[in-house]
Amino acid sequence: MWPFYKRANTDTSFEDGSIRLSDSLLQAIFNPDYMTLEKAMQIPAFSGCVNRICETAAIVPMMLYRHDGESIEKVEDDDRVKLLNTDTRDTLTGIDFKRIMVFDYLVSKGAYAFVNHRGSRWLSLNYINSSRVSFSENNDPIFKDYKVIVEGKSYEGYRFLKVIRRTRNVRFCMAGSGDM
């Protein structure tokens, strides 16, 4: 018969006072090995969910509508819609562009693309890896302003397509800021 009356050895310290990391909970707390995106993407459930969301969002066509007084009509021939759905005039197709933007939104601080335009005409959408984007903002709490910095070069914020979350002000870009 199994010795149910005996208690398990719960002593986690050595005679010299140090702690054993054989207990899984203690390993999780004290082990300095942190979770990274690369490690997370090796977990089938996580990578499967992220990939499923990205693929689903990538195939959804973007549409543009115009409101004319009482009626709403679909705009058929517009450069912005073509850039989002077919060819970004960068290295990515429309589907690849949407896929990577959704991926960056899910796993990092947000997704960013430079809108290359001349006047009101959009020339291209250029994806930018979120790790290469930083921000510079003013300290005025009323008239907030910011600049987007990519590889040390400063741009106006309106020149970017931003897919972000948890925003209250221009500090939307900083990881962990803008808590709701």
Side-chain angles (χ1 to χ4, degrees), residues 149-163:
I149 301 169
V150 180
E151 296 287 323
K153 189 170 180 186
S154 181
Y155 299 92
E156 293 292 332
Y158 68 86
R159 304 284 313 259
F160 288 83
L161 173 64
K162 299 172 280 295
V163 182

Side-chain angles (χ1 to χ4, degrees), residues 4-148:
F4 292 106
Y5 55 88
K6 289 187 179 181
R7 299 191 100 190
N9 184 7
T10 57
D11 182 24
T12 58
S13 61
F14 291 117
E15 293 176 12
D16 62 354
S18 63
I19 297 176
R20 274 188 233 147
L21 291 180
S22 60
D23 184 21
S24 298
L25 180 59
L26 289 175
Q27 281 182 343
I29 294 171
F30 294 115
N31 195 352
D33 191 22
Y34 296 102
M35 179 60 76
T36 63
L37 177 59
E38 290 77 24
K39 289 180 184 177
M41 289 303 287
Q42 292 176 0
I43 301 171
F46 179 80
S47 65
C49 290
V50 168
N51 289 332
R52 178 68 167 227
I53 293 168
C54 292
E55 293 296 324
T56 303
I59 62 172
V60 174
M62 299 290 176
M63 296 180 193
L64 182 63
Y65 293 92
R66 179 179 302 138
H67 181 68
D68 291 330
E70 296 291 321
S71 67
I72 297 175
E73 61 184 40
K74 182 178 173 182
V75 178
E76 296 292 336
D77 190 32
D78 191 279
D79 286 337
R80 296 169 290 185
V81 176
K82 289 178 186 174
L83 287 173
L84 285 168
N85 289 325
T86 56
D87 183 18
T88 62
R89 297 189 190 127
D90 193 17
T91 57
L92 300 173
T93 66
I95 289 177
D96 292 333
F97 175 79
K98 290 184 279 187
R99 182 184 300 119
I100 195 67
M101 291 288 283
V102 172
F103 181 82
D104 279 358
Y105 171 79
L106 291 173
V107 301
S108 80
K109 62 184 178 182
Y112 304 94
F114 181 76
V115 179
N116 185 12
H117 64 85
R118 187 169 297 128
S120 63
R121 186 165 180 255
W122 285 26
L123 303 175
S124 66
L125 279 175
N126 304 87
Y127 165 76
I128 302 166
N129 190 327
S130 61
S131 65
R132 296 179 178 220
V133 176
S134 61
F135 295 82
S136 172
E137 63 182 74
N138 69 356
N139 291 325
D140 191 339
I142 297 172
F143 301 107
K144 300 166 189 74
D145 193 21
Y146 67 98
K147 303 274 190 224
V148 179

